[in-house]
Amino acid sequence: MTNRTTHRLLAAAAAVATGATALLGAGAGTAAASPRAHCDRAERPIWSEGPSRNVTARGCDIPDREHRWYVIDVDTLVQPRHETDYLDEGVTETRTLHDRTLRCLGYTTDDRTVNWFGCVPRLT
C-alpha cells in the first residue's frame, strides 16, 4: 500500500516538473525564435473584456515554416469597439492604428483571408 502511494506521488511530481519545464521552454526566447509575418490590413474587435484573441487579416506574407508563435507586422489595424459581446449589437467607435505588431499562436487561411488565433492582447 505504501509503495503505491509513493509511486503515485513520484509520478505526480514528475508530471508537474515536466509541465513546468514545457511552460518555461514555451515562454523562453519566443520573440527571438519567431518568424515575422506581414499583413497589409487586419481587424481585431474590442469586446467588453478587452481585445479579441482572434484577428482577421488580408494581404499577408507568412513564413513557410511552422512555429509555436508568430510575430505579425500589420500596416493598418482596425479595431471596432462593440457595444456588447454580440456582433449584431453595433459598434460604438472604431480606431485605426498603423504599424503595429501582434504575437499570435497560429493561423488558418481561406482564399485571401488569414485568421490569426491565440493572439496576445497587448500590441507593440
Side-chain angles (χ1 to χ4, degrees):
M1 182 111 158
T2 309
N3 192 19
R4 275 193 209 163
T5 303
T6 305
H7 180 68
R8 287 181 184 161
L9 286 173
L10 287 173
V16 169
T18 302
T21 302
L23 286 174
L24 288 174
T30 55
S34 299
R36 292 185 91 79
H38 175 267
C39 295
D40 294 332
R41 183 177 177 82
E43 183 174 311
R44 180 184 211 172
I46 306 292
W47 306 106
S48 63
E49 296 290 323
S52 174
R53 303 311 190 259
N54 299 321
V55 175
T56 302
R58 292 185 177 272
C60 296
D61 295 319
I62 303 170
D64 293 334
R65 299 184 317 150
E66 292 184 21
H67 288 273
R68 188 174 302 221
W69 285 97
Y70 291 88
V71 176
I72 305 105
D73 295 321
V74 179
D75 291 341
T76 304
L77 178 63
V78 178
Q79 293 185 309
R81 181 172 299 276
H82 292 269
E83 292 178 15
T84 65
D85 289 338
Y86 301 100
L87 281 174
D88 299 340
E89 297 294 323
V91 174
T92 57
E93 69 174 315
T94 300
R95 292 179 56 199
T96 302
L97 306 171
H98 299 281
D99 301 321
R100 298 299 173 154
T101 301
L102 301 167
R103 281 188 47 213
C104 299
L105 187 58
Y107 66 92
T108 60
T109 60
D110 59 9
D111 294 332
R112 289 170 271 154
T113 304
V114 178
N115 298 300
W116 296 98
F117 59 85
C119 301
V120 178
R122 198 166 143 220
L123 297 173
T124 56

